[in-house]
Amino acid sequence: MVLLLLLLLVLQMPGVQTGLARFATEKLAGAIDGRLQIGSISLHPFNAVTVKDVTIIDENPCPDRYGRGAAPMDTLLHLGKLSATLSPMSLFRKGGIHIGRVDAEDVLFNLAIEPDGEYSINLTRIFRMGGSSDSTMPLDSLF
Protein backbone atom coordinates (compact mmCIF):
# COMPACT_ATOMS: atom_id res chain seq x y z
CA MET A 1 0.00 0.00 0.00
CA VAL A 2 2.86 2.37 0.83
CA LEU A 3 4.48 1.60 -2.51
CA LEU A 4 1.25 2.45 -4.34
CA LEU A 5 0.96 5.78 -2.51
CA LEU A 6 4.59 6.56 -3.30
CA LEU A 7 3.96 5.78 -6.96
CA LEU A 8 0.94 8.11 -6.99
CA LEU A 9 3.02 10.90 -5.46
CA VAL A 10 5.80 10.44 -7.99
CA LEU A 11 3.28 10.51 -10.85
CA GLN A 12 2.14 13.97 -9.68
CA MET A 13 5.57 15.49 -10.36
CA PRO A 14 5.59 17.68 -13.50
CA GLY A 15 8.86 16.17 -14.74
CA VAL A 16 7.47 12.65 -14.48
CA GLN A 17 4.28 13.66 -16.29
CA THR A 18 6.34 15.33 -19.06
CA GLY A 19 8.33 12.11 -19.40
CA LEU A 20 5.08 10.16 -19.56
CA ALA A 21 3.84 12.44 -22.37
CA ARG A 22 7.10 11.82 -24.28
CA PHE A 23 6.84 8.06 -23.73
CA ALA A 24 3.21 7.99 -24.93
CA THR A 25 4.12 10.08 -27.99
CA GLU A 26 6.99 7.76 -28.92
CA LYS A 27 4.92 4.59 -28.46
CA LEU A 28 1.92 5.85 -30.42
CA ALA A 29 4.00 7.53 -33.14
CA GLY A 30 5.10 4.16 -34.48
CA ALA A 31 1.49 3.01 -34.72
CA ILE A 32 0.29 5.74 -37.07
CA ASP A 33 1.27 7.14 -40.44
CA GLY A 34 1.54 10.68 -39.22
CA ARG A 35 3.18 12.88 -36.63
CA LEU A 36 1.78 12.90 -33.10
CA GLN A 37 2.33 15.73 -30.65
CA ILE A 38 1.19 15.70 -27.01
CA GLY A 39 1.62 18.87 -24.99
CA SER A 40 1.10 17.45 -21.51
CA ILE A 41 -0.45 14.63 -19.55
CA SER A 42 -1.79 15.14 -16.04
CA LEU A 43 -2.71 12.18 -13.90
CA HIS A 44 -5.24 12.94 -11.20
CA PRO A 45 -5.05 10.60 -8.21
CA PHE A 46 -7.30 7.60 -8.31
CA ASN A 47 -9.66 8.31 -11.19
CA ALA A 48 -8.80 10.71 -14.03
CA VAL A 49 -6.32 11.75 -16.67
CA THR A 50 -6.10 14.99 -18.67
CA VAL A 51 -4.20 15.31 -21.93
CA LYS A 52 -3.61 18.77 -23.41
CA ASP A 53 -2.64 19.97 -26.86
CA VAL A 54 -2.86 16.71 -28.79
CA THR A 55 -2.24 17.06 -32.53
CA ILE A 56 -2.04 14.44 -35.25
CA ILE A 57 -0.43 15.74 -38.43
CA ASP A 58 -0.94 13.90 -41.72
CA GLU A 59 2.51 13.60 -43.31
CA ASN A 60 0.96 12.91 -46.73
CA PRO A 61 -2.27 14.91 -46.97
CA CYS A 62 -4.33 14.22 -50.04
CA PRO A 63 -4.65 16.98 -52.63
CA ASP A 64 -7.87 18.80 -53.43
CA ARG A 65 -9.71 16.15 -55.43
CA TYR A 66 -12.22 18.64 -56.83
CA GLY A 67 -9.67 21.06 -58.26
CA ARG A 68 -10.95 24.05 -56.30
CA GLY A 69 -7.45 25.18 -55.41
CA ALA A 70 -7.77 24.36 -51.71
CA ALA A 71 -4.55 23.60 -49.88
CA PRO A 72 -4.24 20.06 -48.48
CA MET A 73 -5.28 19.86 -44.83
CA ASP A 74 -2.39 18.34 -42.91
CA THR A 75 -3.98 18.44 -39.45
CA LEU A 76 -6.12 15.35 -38.95
CA LEU A 77 -6.92 16.10 -35.32
CA HIS A 78 -6.27 18.74 -32.71
CA LEU A 79 -7.57 18.47 -29.15
CA GLY A 80 -7.05 21.41 -26.85
CA LYS A 81 -7.96 19.29 -23.84
CA LEU A 82 -9.12 15.71 -23.37
CA SER A 83 -10.21 14.56 -19.92
CA ALA A 84 -11.20 11.01 -19.03
CA THR A 85 -12.31 9.30 -15.88
CA LEU A 86 -11.08 5.80 -15.34
CA SER A 87 -11.39 2.97 -12.89
CA PRO A 88 -8.13 2.65 -10.94
CA MET A 89 -8.81 -1.04 -10.32
CA SER A 90 -8.84 -1.64 -14.07
CA LEU A 91 -5.13 -0.78 -14.11
CA PHE A 92 -4.47 -4.08 -12.37
CA ARG A 93 -6.72 -6.29 -14.51
CA LYS A 94 -5.86 -8.05 -17.74
CA GLY A 95 -8.99 -6.71 -19.50
CA GLY A 96 -7.49 -3.26 -19.97
CA ILE A 97 -8.35 0.16 -18.63
CA HIS A 98 -12.03 0.96 -18.11
CA ILE A 99 -12.80 4.53 -19.18
CA GLY A 100 -15.99 5.98 -17.76
CA ARG A 101 -16.43 9.45 -19.24
CA VAL A 102 -14.51 11.43 -21.85
CA ASP A 103 -14.73 15.20 -22.31
CA ALA A 104 -13.06 16.97 -25.24
CA GLU A 105 -12.55 20.72 -25.64
CA ASP A 106 -11.28 22.81 -28.54
CA VAL A 107 -11.56 20.01 -31.12
CA LEU A 108 -10.61 20.23 -34.78
CA PHE A 109 -11.05 17.15 -36.97
CA ASN A 110 -10.44 17.03 -40.73
CA LEU A 111 -11.80 13.97 -42.49
CA ALA A 112 -10.78 13.78 -46.15
CA ILE A 113 -11.88 11.43 -48.93
CA GLU A 114 -8.73 10.02 -50.48
CA PRO A 115 -8.22 9.78 -54.22
CA ASP A 116 -8.08 6.30 -55.69
CA GLY A 117 -5.84 4.07 -53.65
CA GLU A 118 -5.71 1.48 -50.90
CA TYR A 119 -7.68 3.59 -48.42
CA SER A 120 -10.92 5.53 -48.87
CA ILE A 121 -10.39 8.22 -46.21
CA ASN A 122 -7.39 9.76 -44.47
CA LEU A 123 -8.44 8.33 -41.08
CA THR A 124 -8.12 4.72 -42.25
CA ARG A 125 -4.73 5.43 -43.84
CA ILE A 126 -3.22 7.24 -40.86
CA PHE A 127 -4.40 4.65 -38.32
CA ARG A 128 -3.75 1.74 -40.72
CA MET A 129 -7.30 0.43 -40.49
CA GLY A 130 -8.24 -1.97 -43.26
CA GLY A 131 -6.07 -2.03 -46.33
CA SER A 132 -3.47 -4.74 -46.76
CA SER A 133 -2.48 -6.90 -43.80
CA ASP A 134 1.13 -5.73 -44.19
CA SER A 135 0.18 -2.14 -43.39
CA THR A 136 -2.03 -2.76 -40.36
CA MET A 137 -0.77 -2.70 -36.81
CA PRO A 138 -2.78 -4.27 -33.98
CA LEU A 139 -3.21 -1.94 -31.01
CA ASP A 140 -2.14 -4.63 -28.56
CA SER A 141 1.37 -4.45 -30.05
CA LEU A 142 1.80 -0.90 -28.69
CA PHE A 143 2.51 -2.06 -25.16
Side-chain angles (χ1 to χ4, degrees), residues 46-113:
F46 308 113
N47 69 347
V49 63
T50 301
V51 184
K52 292 185 178 175
D53 297 320
V54 176
T55 305
I56 299 175
I57 303 293
D58 186 349
E59 297 288 339
N60 300 298
C62 63
D64 177 13
R65 68 183 277 162
Y66 299 107
R68 295 176 291 193
M73 297 299 291
D74 66 347
T75 302
L76 172 71
L77 173 71
H78 173 77
L79 292 167
K81 180 179 176 183
L82 181 73
S83 300
T85 60
L86 50 97
S87 167
M89 294 311 294
S90 69
L91 297 172
F92 304 104
R93 293 188 207 130
K94 281 189 172 181
I97 298 172
H98 174 76
I99 297 175
R101 176 184 172 137
V102 176
D103 294 309
E105 298 176 16
D106 186 24
V107 179
L108 170 72
F109 182 74
N110 289 305
L111 186 64
I113 298 172

Side-chain angles (χ1 to χ4, degrees), residues 15-27 36-42 51-52:
V16 172
Q17 292 183 358
T18 300
L20 185 61
R22 271 195 224 118
F23 175 78
T25 301
E26 290 170 8
K27 285 300 250 182
L36 174 66
Q37 300 168 339
I38 298 175
S40 66
I41 296 177
S42 299
V51 184
K52 292 185 178 175

Side-chain angles (χ1 to χ4, degrees), residues 30-31 33 118-119 128-138:
D33 286 330
E118 184 178 357
Y119 300 98
R128 302 177 185 160
M129 300 182 308
S132 71
S133 59
D134 294 339
S135 64
T136 59
M137 174 183 255

